[in-house]
Amino acid sequence: DTGVSQDPRHKITKRGQNVTFRCDPISEHNRLYWYRQTLGQGPEFLTYFQNEAQLEKSRLLSDRFSAERPKGSFSTLEIQRTEQGDSAMYLCASSLRQGANNEQFFGPGTRLTVL
Amino acid sequence: GNSVTQMEGPVTLSEEAFLTINCTYTATGYPSLFWYVQYPGEGLQLLLKATKADDKGSNKGFEATYRKETTSFHLEKGSVQVSDSAVYFCALSYYSSASKIIFGSGTRLSIRP
């Protein structure tokens, strides 16, 4: 399977704990995006990388959130001191290039539940 | 700011019925428009897209036309099947803005046999 993969698929944690999610994009894709989707809503953009550079962060991405893509391949999203409001599906997407023909391919998501 | 508004669900139809899911957008300039679909237990998939005014995107019997004068991108299908049951998201993005996607809130579609 050469699609976008995410790990874990589900994470349950207690408030105040730190969590880290991983995304493996399609291998030749140089752009990687993170989105957050809460119940009954569409995904909301969080941040994106071109290769290893993080080029944009949404205002939704508070100081407790940090994302990395150290070698321009896989990416991690860490949430420190989790809060109940962080409960959501975290989606990763990758694309080959920017432009009108750019298509983002989405992974299955990591569902986070903060108790 | 830029936003997408789509009809609220759930929408329940009988098999072979005609489907319309309305979508309107607020944006400056010339965004690309998309419909994404999320089948139960699966990730988001691009269903169709249109990159300029009057373009028609089509796939799997679904169609949507980019209407700049009405800022709309309504999704239609002439005869739905049970397998079309899913959540449908209307969305837009800009070439000049890293192609990050702005999604509507989604419309859940259920098709009765």
Side-chain angles (χ1 to χ4, degrees), chain A residues 13-18 81-86 113-115:
Chain A
T13 192
K14 294 182 179 179
R15 190 175 50 189
Q17 298 295 305
N18 299 344
R81 306 182 302 281
T82 52
E83 302 173 355
Q84 287 183 327
D86 297 331
T113 302
V114 181
L115 302 176

Side-chain angles (χ1 to χ4, degrees), chain A residues 56-77:
Chain A
E56 186 172 345
K57 295 195 293 185
S58 161
R59 285 172 291 180
L60 293 175
L61 214 63
S62 76
D63 292 345
R64 297 184 296 105
F65 288 70
S66 62
E68 294 182 343
R69 194 182 183 198
K71 297 182 181 179
S73 57
F74 73 91
S75 176
T76 58
L77 177 67

